[in-house]
Amino acid sequence: MHSGKIFFFSPVYASPREEGRHELWRELKNISRGMVGEWLLAGDFNDIAHPSEKRGGIPAQQRRCDKFLDRINDCNLIDCGATGPKFTWRGPAFQNGDRIFERLDRALSNDDWRLGFPNAVVKVLPRVNFSDHHPMIIALFGFDYAQRPSYFKFESAWLLEESYAEMLEASWSGTNSIQERLSNLAHEIKEWKNITIGSVTKKKRELLARIGGVQKKLQTERRNNFLFRLENELQDELAHILKMEELMWFQRSRAKWLVDGDRNTRYYHLKTITRRRYNKIIMLRDVHGNWVEEVEELKQMANDYYKTLFAADGSVVNWYQTAITFPRLLDDELQMIGGVITDDEVKRAVFSMSPWKAPGPDGFPAGFYQKSWGIVGQSVCEFVKQVWSNPLCLRDINYTDICLIPKVDQPETIQQFRPISLCNTLYKVVSKVLTNRIKDTINKVVSPHQSGFIPGRSIHENIVVVQEMAHSMRKMNGKVGYFAVKVDLSKAYDRLSWKFIYHTLMEVGYPMEWIDVVMTSVTSVRTNVKWNGDRAEYFHPQRGIRQGDPISPYLFVICMDKLSHLITQCVQEEAWKPMRA
């Protein structure tokens, strides 16, 4: 290879018969046990890993899929994934014209190969007439050679440097606004890390080379106290660098756990590469069903889709006051919700957040505030109090990155992604404070029909109710029966009217101070679609709430409870007859 890298490659054609596949995997298992180095396998495995990888004909057996997955795991292999058409094989046509489609072709690799080729992409190409299979191309270094912009992100590993606290304190001093301080700090950190830390990988390589040289020298000299002390100092410095490297990859991997005293750097590195590859979008179908591969065209297509989704549809929404309304909260409960912001509740909000989740556009995760609270804490508290008295202050920090998370293994359209909003942590602190103030009383406001996101309730309760209803309906006799309607609200968060949110919160009777801050947080947002790590143009939504905003689940269940009010009103007016399971 032109890069000088060497790896083992095994082209595969598995037998359509189970006996032949059994023999193939027995041989592959033997090879895997003795494999030293990077190993890639690709071809027709004549098997599927999940029932969703088959369409048409007799449904796939889960046992067959599990056996295939067990064989992959026994050889310590991982699926490299693919982009393009989901199914790679087309069966013959039946009499009615239907066909069977399956994903029989794929690429597998061991961990060494995945780490060695982190940008590799498997692409399924269009099928040609002389074959039932789609060809695949494996681009070892990816298809997008353009260097994406580098955005600032705070690294937890920086906290290990002794000079970090001194640098932070010097940068944070002054009377500037907290937004200006964060911006200046990001600039200061870039200069500071180049002087103090530099590249962790480069430093590790240099230390290993120096340690190797010292150890080689010690083997030829009987006694040299200076070299013994030097080796110990270098080993201590190497341990420090290895810990930084582990924290760096842990933060990027989005892993949920960390084993103290155990070097998990390889695991976190592999998890990071796998996550990035899974989330990387190479090609999608447009509204006409045509495949789009150009990076700028894809980015524009995604941004335009969400601009349209979050745009007001032009319909006139008139508020209709139902006879059934929300129960009234007690005066002391309302006073607590609308009371003055305290430093303690701001601190509780900050320290209740997961420290190293993906940050918003400013690059500072909750872990930065938690670990630096002694220096930055007072500024955070003052900002939240300022927002409470002047909600328009939120405009300066209310910027959001929309990250697209695939809902399916091999997405083909933009609708098959879940938009997760990455809000700035400073904004989330405000939202968390607002949420905590209504959390203890939300179960009094929302009717028992709503079970999701309510403390003390479980969504599984409604599943039991549905099962009991279905059971009762099956046992019913007579000419007059019942029917059940399951409503799937497509893009429910994204289409929620801001006027409806405001009128609903007013009907609940929340204090105006709290409502003003909530509505400003909802309506002042600027957002963009972050495409494979590259930001698109910011735009201003006109409706919807954000997945990833702490207050959003509570706003959604409160608004959805108006549907419960309408149903209850219809029952009381005897327009609907309730069913008792």
Side-chain angles (χ1 to χ4, degrees):
M1 294 175 57
H2 65 83
S3 64
K5 299 191 72 169
I6 297 174
F7 66 91
F8 297 95
F9 176 65
S10 300
V12 174
Y13 174 71
S15 171
R17 298 174 60 86
E18 170 57 28
E19 296 84 358
R21 292 198 297 274
H22 177 78
E23 181 63 24
L24 168 70
W25 282 103
R26 187 184 65 80
E27 294 181 9
L28 291 176
K29 188 175 181 179
N30 290 334
I31 294 173
S32 69
R33 288 174 176 173
M35 178 58 64
V36 179
E38 301 168 357
W39 186 27
L40 173 68
L41 307 84
D44 178 6
F45 288 85
N46 252 311
D47 242 330
I48 59 174
H50 192 271
S52 63
E53 294 182 350
K54 179 181 180 181
R55 191 183 76 193
I58 301 173
Q61 294 181 349
Q62 186 64 50
R63 185 173 61 180
R64 172 194 170 189
C65 300
D66 292 342
K67 179 182 284 189
F68 183 44
L69 290 174
D70 288 341
R71 286 168 169 171
I72 293 174
N73 293 331
D74 288 344
C75 294
N76 297 315
L77 299 172
I78 56 176
D79 195 325
C80 296
T83 185
K86 179 177 181 179
F87 304 106
T88 64
W89 174 79
R90 184 189 74 171
F94 299 122
Q95 290 183 352
N96 58 1
D98 291 337
R99 293 179 184 269
I100 296 176
F101 295 88
E102 292 183 308
R103 185 194 175 200
L104 301 180
D105 307 84
R106 68 188 72 227
L108 307 175
S109 75
N110 63 1
D111 293 353
D112 290 331
W113 190 90
R114 186 74 271 187
L115 291 170
F117 296 92
N119 297 317
V121 175
V122 181
K123 183 177 177 182
V124 180
L125 303 175
R127 188 185 56 80
V128 290
N129 282 335
F130 59 77
S131 176
D132 292 329
H133 290 261
H134 287 253
M136 296 190 309
I137 183 172
I138 303 174
L140 298 177
F141 305 102
F143 292 103
D144 184 13
Y145 298 102
Q147 188 71 26
R148 74 181 188 185
S150 177
Y151 301 112
F152 171 80
K153 280 188 180 180
F154 185 87
E155 297 272 5
S156 58
W158 299 339
L159 297 167
L160 298 177
E161 269 304 301
E162 293 181 0
S163 60
Y164 165 77
E166 183 182 349
M167 178 277 302
L168 173 62
E169 197 162 4
S171 175
W172 200 260
S173 61
T175 58
N176 293 339
S177 67
I178 192 170
Q179 302 94 297
E180 292 173 326
R181 292 185 188 187
L182 289 171
S183 178
N184 293 337
L185 179 60
H187 178 72
E188 290 289 333
I189 286 177
K190 288 179 181 178
E191 294 185 354
W192 165 79
K193 72 170 185 175
N194 289 333
I195 299 172
T196 57
I197 302 174
S199 169
V200 171
T201 305
K202 182 181 177 182
K203 277 208 167 188
K204 183 177 76 170
R205 190 164 55 244
E206 291 173 352
L207 284 170
L208 288 172
R210 291 184 66 188
I211 290 172
V214 171
Q215 291 174 346
K216 185 177 180 180
K217 191 74 173 175
L218 284 170
Q219 291 174 2
T220 60
E221 297 187 15
R222 292 184 178 179
R223 187 77 178 172
N224 191 322
N225 291 331
F226 169 75
L227 290 179
F228 277 122
R229 288 195 302 271
L230 179 59
E231 183 187 6
N232 289 333
E233 290 173 3
L234 292 175
Q235 290 285 4
D236 291 341
E237 193 175 348
L238 177 64
H240 178 73
I241 289 294
L242 290 175
K243 183 63 177 176
M244 291 181 67
E245 183 186 40
E246 182 180 25
L247 285 174
M248 180 182 71
W249 287 114
F250 167 68
Q251 183 178 345
R252 295 176 183 180
S253 71
R254 310 283 186 261
K256 302 291 186 184
W257 52 270
L258 178 65
V259 181
D260 293 330
D262 187 16
R263 290 279 173 233
N264 294 297
T265 307
R266 178 185 175 86
Y267 164 75
Y268 296 134
H269 191 181
L270 181 64
K271 194 173 189 299
T272 301
I273 291 169
T274 304
R275 179 184 63 82
R276 286 177 177 173
R277 175 62 203 95
Y278 181 72
N279 292 340
K280 191 175 180 68
I281 307 166
I282 306 298
M283 57 193 297
L284 290 175
R285 294 185 188 272
D286 61 17
V287 292
H288 305 294
N290 302 317
W291 286 103
V292 177
E293 300 183 53
E294 291 295 327
V295 176
E296 289 302 319
E297 192 176 347
L298 281 169
K299 186 163 67 172
Q300 190 64 43
M301 183 174 75
N303 219 42
D304 289 347
Y305 172 78
Y306 283 101
K307 277 184 181 179
T308 304
L309 181 62
F310 291 131
D313 56 9
S315 59
V316 178
V317 179
N318 295 317
W319 176 254
Y320 167 64
Q321 180 60 56
T322 57
I324 307 296
T325 188
F326 295 96
R328 188 73 181 166
L329 293 176
L330 300 177
D331 289 342
D332 57 342
E333 293 171 333
L334 294 172
Q335 188 175 358
M336 186 276 295
I337 295 172
V340 177
I341 300 288
T342 65
D343 291 352
D344 284 342
E345 66 176 319
V346 175
K347 185 176 180 180
R348 283 198 305 272
V350 171
F351 282 82
S352 67
M353 296 182 188
S354 181
W356 305 118
K357 278 192 172 181
D362 67 6
F364 289 97
F368 159 74
Y369 296 95
Q370 294 167 1
K371 298 295 183 181
S372 312
W373 188 253
I375 298 174
V376 307
Q378 191 57 42
S379 300
V380 175
C381 294
E382 289 173 0
F383 175 76
V384 177
K385 292 175 183 177
Q386 184 183 4
V387 168
W388 193 251
S389 60
N390 181 16
L392 294 179
C393 294
L394 277 173
R395 291 179 176 178
D396 296 330
I397 63 163
N398 202 1
Y399 287 83
T400 298
D401 288 333
I402 295 178
C403 287
L404 303 180
I405 307 300
K407 296 179 182 178
V408 297
D409 282 341
Q410 207 166 327
E412 296 188 1
T413 64
I414 194 69
Q415 290 86 354
Q416 292 176 317
F417 291 86
R418 179 173 289 107
I420 302 298
S421 294
L422 302 182
C423 308
N424 284 327
T425 301
L426 198 56
Y427 166 80
K428 290 176 73 173
V429 173
V430 176
S431 183
K432 199 85 170 175
V433 169
L434 296 172
T435 303
N436 290 340
R437 289 194 163 203
I438 65 168
K439 185 182 290 185
D440 293 337
T441 56
I442 192 71
N443 59 346
K444 294 179 63 176
V445 171
V446 176
S447 63
H449 309 301
Q450 293 280 353
S451 56
F453 306 112
I454 306 298
R457 302 181 192 175
S458 172
I459 197 169
H460 299 101
E461 297 169 3
N462 281 355
I463 297 175
V464 175
V465 171
V466 171
Q467 288 176 331
E468 289 295 320
M469 286 178 58
H471 178 69
S472 299
M473 290 170 70
R474 280 197 299 268
K475 296 192 302 180
M476 287 180 177
N477 296 318
K479 295 181 180 180
V480 179
Y482 290 81
F483 67 90
V485 178
K486 179 184 180 298
V487 180
D488 183 10
L489 302 175
S490 175
K491 304 292 184 185
Y493 267 41
D494 308 323
R495 292 193 167 104
L496 193 56
S497 165
W498 290 347
K499 287 184 179 179
F500 186 79
I501 296 173
Y502 174 76
H503 284 297
T504 304
L505 297 180
M506 289 292 291
E507 183 181 335
V508 174
Y510 285 128
M512 278 307 303
E513 298 91 341
W514 186 88
I515 294 177
D516 284 345
V517 180
V518 169
M519 292 310 302
T520 303
S521 70
V522 170
T523 60
S524 66
V525 62
R526 297 275 177 177
T527 192
N528 81 101
V529 178
K530 202 171 184 184
W531 188 263
N532 291 335
D534 187 8
R535 288 195 180 105
E537 179 187 2
Y538 279 99
F539 63 91
H540 181 58
Q542 296 173 309
R543 64 177 179 179
I545 53 178
R546 292 167 283 180
Q547 295 188 50
D549 185 345
I551 194 70
S552 290
Y554 291 88
L555 295 180
F556 183 73
V557 294
I558 291 172
C559 290
M560 280 301 299
D561 208 38
K562 289 304 299 177
L563 177 61
S564 298
H565 294 174
L566 287 169
I567 294 173
T568 304
Q569 183 173 329
C570 288
V571 170
Q572 289 185 357
E573 294 172 354
E574 298 185 350
W576 287 22
K577 184 178 179 182
M579 174 186 167
R580 306 193 184 280

